[in-house]
Amino acid sequence: MSGDVEDAFLAITRLVKDPQMYFAGQLHKSMKGLGTNDDKLIRLLVWRSEIDLVEIKECFKIITKGKSLEEFIDGDCSGDYKHALLCSVLKFRSWLVVFCFVKYVVINFT
């Protein structure tokens, strides 16, 4: 096996073996290097926030050798977008989070 099929099977294996570590790795991939994969970052944070984000944050620290998810977001993102992501990660549920996400989407995707 090689290529995309092998990558798919490896991803499924990692996900089944340790879901929190898998999602922490995906969050790290979305922010490492030049630029940020905003779609992936938002999708993962929103999808996992009510399920197991606390455990994913601990796994993220292991992957990044002690750097927290909040520190990564703070260094990689800016403006209202950064504040909305941090509110989401820190569990501040308010109209401000919704407003910032909507503002970001309207400005960048229309």
Side-chain angles (χ1 to χ4, degrees), residues 38-92:
D38 296 315
D39 293 339
K40 188 176 198 175
L41 179 60
I42 292 169
R43 187 173 51 249
L44 286 167
L45 288 178
V46 170
W47 182 33
R48 303 311 292 187
S49 67
E50 297 296 327
I51 301 169
D52 56 357
L53 191 58
V54 173
E55 293 88 359
I56 291 171
K57 286 167 54 175
E58 292 304 314
C59 292
F60 190 88
K61 275 187 178 178
I62 294 168
I63 290 173
T64 59
K65 298 175 177 67
K67 196 166 183 183
S68 72
L69 180 58
E70 294 88 348
E71 290 172 314
F72 244 82
I73 290 171
D74 188 47
D76 214 47
C77 304
S78 62
D80 289 337
Y81 174 59
K82 174 177 81 172
H83 293 123
L85 291 174
L86 288 173
C87 286
S88 176
V89 169
L90 296 170
K91 297 286 188 187
F92 294 134

Side-chain angles (χ1 to χ4, degrees), residues 42 46 78-88 92 94-109:
I42 292 169
V46 170
S78 62
D80 289 337
Y81 174 59
K82 174 177 81 172
H83 293 123
L85 291 174
L86 288 173
C87 286
S88 176
F92 294 134
S94 70
W95 64 270
L96 178 62
V97 175
V98 174
F99 172 75
C100 291
F101 272 125
V102 169
K103 181 179 173 184
Y104 175 78
V105 170
V106 168
I107 290 172
N108 291 293
F109 296 105

